[in-house]
């Protein structure tokens, strides 16, 4: 009797293993705004499997979006484009990119050899167990004052994802439901607009940029940009020099342009917070989207403050001489500050 029970158990577990289904997960990543005549939201969709050895066959993505931000029927209006990333770069075709409803579009892909070959790395892409790029989406924005409202339609996507059998040309469904990691419902298109006039200026931003790469941030005004620098490095596009890398929200910058232009910084707004300063000269940003009272900001370190000075301007705050011609520090600008020791100041939040 014990032998029969053991045999039954072994058969049960073997059958369960044979018919087990792997699960696939989806997430949004690398969302950013590409500024231009018409601003564009760009984001990637990444996928992963919960176990190795699955080769994706047919994958379907259904995305809901805010029609107030993008308009209705975005695909038919020519406002949506899709490009392949690593997991669709070869072996796959786009079957359909179409409006599913006025506020939803569908993207459907299939493997070229799905009817002819079993699942192998020669004819299919294996879905890794770490998130990897599937497709890149670009959507033209109608109204920058409205949140994106983008999310996976979980109901339509569950049950519509297939891997290729490794022993035949049969499709095998991934486990239903899928896993959906995040959304872009509250993604904002609002930018910090910084007006630049011909010549030198000091700039900063209260935005935490979606894309902090200096070259990408300044690409819309690269024809007007001569140089961007701070105490850590320089970006000199004419000579392909970039030792800055990424934007530092805790630094001010010196910038020179050949004509009037506007820099737009897209990201999440930050309001106030501490800023560490070093002994000697500093180039500081304004951390917040409101004017800041200069004397109040430096009151706590007044004994160590020598001077605050405008960049490319004549304004100064010089406590020892009772001189203050910059009563407020303005968002978007940068200022020189000289101290006799390391200190910390704290920008207040806007009321």
């Amino acid at each position: 009797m014990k032998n029969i029970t053991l045999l039954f158990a072994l058969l049960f577990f073997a059958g369960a293993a044979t018919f087990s289904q792997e699960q696939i997960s989806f997430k949004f990543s690398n969302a950013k705004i590409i500024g231009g005549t018409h601003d564009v939201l760009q984001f990637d969709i990444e996928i992963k499997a919960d176990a190795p050895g699955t080769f994706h066959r047919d994958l379907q993505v259904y995305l809901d979006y805010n029609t107030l931000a993008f308009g209705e029927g975005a695909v038919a209006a020519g406002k949506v484009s899709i490009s392949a990333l690593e997991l669709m770069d070869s072996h796959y075709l786009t079957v359909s990119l179409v409006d599913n409803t006025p506020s939803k579009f569908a993207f459907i892909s299939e493997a070229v050899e799905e009817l002819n070959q079993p699942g192998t790395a020669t004819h299919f892409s294996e879905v890794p167990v770490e998130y990897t790029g599937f497709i890149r989406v670009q959507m033209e924005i109608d109204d920058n004052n409205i949140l994106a409202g983008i999310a996976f339609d979980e109901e339509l996507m569950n049950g519509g994802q297939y891997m290729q059998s490794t022993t035949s040309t049969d499709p095998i469904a991934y486990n239903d439901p899928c896993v959906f990691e995040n959304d872009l419902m509250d993604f904002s298109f609002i930018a910090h607009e910084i007006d630049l006039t011909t010549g030198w200026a000091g700039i900063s931003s209260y935005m935490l940029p979606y894309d902090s790469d200096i070259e990408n941030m300044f690409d819309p005004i690269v024809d007007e940009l001569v140089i961007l620098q701070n105490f850590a490095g320089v970006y000199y596009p004419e000579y392909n020099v970039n030792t800055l890398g990424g934007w530092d929200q805790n630094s001010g910058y010196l910038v020179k342009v050949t004509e009037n232009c506007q820099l737009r910084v897209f990201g999440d707004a930050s309001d106030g917070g501490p800023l560490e300063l070093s002994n000697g000269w500093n180039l500081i940003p304004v951390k917040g989207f409101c004017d800041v009272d200069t004397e109040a900001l430096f009151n706590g370190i007044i004994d160590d403050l020598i001077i605050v000075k405008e960049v490319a301007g004549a304004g100064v705050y010089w406590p020892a001489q009772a001189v203050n011609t910059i009563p407020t520090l303005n968002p978007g600008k940068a200022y020189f500050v000289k101290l006799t020791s390391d200190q910390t100041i704290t920008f207040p939040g806007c009321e």
Side-chain angles (χ1 to χ4, degrees), residues 333-344:
K333 293 188 175 182
Y335 298 85
F336 289 117
V337 175
K338 189 175 184 182
L339 301 174
T340 60
S341 66
D342 295 347
Q343 293 291 338
T344 300

Side-chain angles (χ1 to χ4, degrees), residues 261-279:
C261 56
Q262 185 182 76
L263 173 68
R264 295 195 298 162
V265 182
F266 294 94
D268 293 317
S270 61
D271 188 18
L275 180 68
E276 295 182 358
L277 305 178
S278 301
N279 181 17

Side-chain angles (χ1 to χ4, degrees), residues 34 41-46 80-90 92-94 97 105 107 109 133-139:
I34 301 174
L41 169 63
Q42 175 178 290
F43 57 89
D44 297 342
I45 294 176
E46 299 181 355
V80 179
S81 64
I82 304 285
S83 56
L85 296 178
E86 298 97 306
L87 290 180
M88 201 183 146
D89 198 30
S90 57
Y92 297 90
L93 298 173
T94 298
L97 174 61
F105 68 84
F107 170 81
S109 68
F134 174 50
I135 56 174
R136 174 163 292 164
V137 182
Q138 291 188 335
M139 300 182 67

Side-chain angles (χ1 to χ4, degrees), residues 169-213:
T169 58
D170 293 335
I172 300 175
Y174 280 101
N175 190 43
D176 181 0
C178 304
V179 174
F180 300 95
E181 182 107 347
N182 58 2
D183 62 51
L184 297 175
M185 292 296 293
D186 296 327
F187 192 90
S188 171
F189 308 135
I190 297 175
H192 180 191
E193 299 178 341
I194 304 171
D195 292 320
L196 303 174
T197 56
T198 303
W200 287 98
I203 65 169
S204 64
S205 179
Y206 52 78
M207 287 292 195
L208 298 171
Y210 293 136
D211 183 359
S212 62
D213 183 273

Side-chain angles (χ1 to χ4, degrees), residues 321-335:
Q321 301 299 320
V323 174
N324 186 3
T325 58
I326 45 172
T328 59
L329 305 186
N330 308 127
K333 293 188 175 182
Y335 298 85

